[in-house]
Amino acid sequence: MNAALVAVVKPQLRHMSNPLAARRGFERFARAFLARPSGVIVEREHPEEAPELFWHRPAAGRPKVLIYFHGGGYIAGSPRTHHGLLASLAKVAGIAVCTPRYRLAPEHPFPAAQDDAYAAWRHLRQTGFAPRDIALAGDSAGGGLALSLVARLCAEHTPPAAVAVFSPRTDLTGSGASCRTNAGRDPFLPVERLAELAGHALAGHDPRDPLVSPLFAGFPASPPVFFAVSETEVLLDDTMRLARRLEAEGVETELQVSPDSPHAWPIFVGRIPEADATVAQAATFLARHLGLAGGRLTASPERSAGS
């Protein structure tokens, strides 16, 4: 998988400057590389006060829910690009997964995505879910979005039950040393595009604002957090700095560091075994903190092109 990413995907990302072209490219990438969902019911909801929600429900779900925020640098991605991952999380954890189709930059820069994330949370609360019945998760920019929402909810004294993030982007200032030391090792992300992505998302807003860079946020009475990151990715320090700080503050953290997986590798569930293993570990972590018995990944999504 890494060889294909280095040869095909990373060069395209390096030379793709148009956000709309990047959006279309991510959809093509998902169809070509990522697995299809299976074994779940997929539904769409259109709340008046929240973004469109995609639901992936297992056949025998329990009265808990996971809100998942897809990655894509705040300019690309959608619930459709992550169908396979969302289906796997739903099946392994045994709960419904709710994925907001949050607004994307550059048409909708900060605070659009953050407002949509909070609106999705409020919608679930208003439909009867207590904070202890809701977990949050996300990958890449979506992982940062999940963590920013957690910080906001901690400040409001209504934290979710648990959080799981895969290669989260927590620092839009790009100050992590790994942005330099791993620039040549990361098989997926070209480091020279990170500042441009941040510019689209921020539209001149301060990148140190905790609402966009949760590395700088406070997490009073934080719920347990699961982190997964690869040693070779440019965003390694975005995870390591926040995970170490939370652990030092007494937050229950679980950290999985892969030696050479690509950025946000759980999106490749059903394609590579390390993605299956990490999804199983994260889903078990979330299920445990939601008060449910954890499970194992017993069935992967189909390995054909996504829908």
Side-chain angles (χ1 to χ4, degrees), residues 90-101:
K91 288 188 294 184
V92 181
I95 59 174
V97 178
C98 173
T99 309
R101 188 173 185 175

Side-chain angles (χ1 to χ4, degrees), residues 247-272:
E247 184 178 17
E249 293 174 356
V251 177
E252 179 183 346
T253 59
E254 186 170 329
L255 174 63
Q256 182 190 87
V257 181
S258 170
D260 60 357
S261 296
H263 172 70
W265 71 94
I267 66 173
F268 296 105
V269 66
R271 295 289 193 177
I272 57 175

Side-chain angles (χ1 to χ4, degrees), residues 49-165:
E49 74 288 357
E52 181 181 21
L53 304 175
F54 281 66
W55 289 86
H56 291 71
R57 302 181 190 272
R62 291 165 282 187
K64 310 285 183 176
V65 64
L66 170 65
I67 306 177
Y68 192 94
F69 300 101
H70 66 80
Y74 291 110
I75 68 166
S78 71
R80 286 191 298 270
T81 58
H82 287 58
H83 266 322
L85 173 57
L86 302 172
S88 289
L89 285 167
K91 288 188 294 184
V92 181
I95 59 174
V97 178
C98 173
T99 309
R101 188 173 185 175
Y102 61 86
R103 289 169 291 171
L104 300 175
E107 302 97 318
H108 304 286
F110 175 85
Q114 290 74 17
D115 288 347
D116 286 352
Y118 188 65
W121 167 270
R122 285 181 55 84
H123 174 70
L124 291 188
R125 294 282 288 112
Q126 290 166 0
T127 56
F129 288 98
R132 65 179 178 276
D133 297 327
I134 306 173
L136 304 182
D139 64 279
S140 194
L145 191 55
L147 289 165
S148 294
L149 178 57
V150 172
R152 180 173 181 174
L153 297 175
C154 286
E156 295 180 355
H157 310 291
T158 58
V163 191
V165 286

Side-chain angles (χ1 to χ4, degrees), residues 176-190:
S178 59
C179 287
R180 300 180 297 278
T181 58
N182 280 348
R185 303 176 68 201
D186 192 315
F188 199 169
L189 292 184

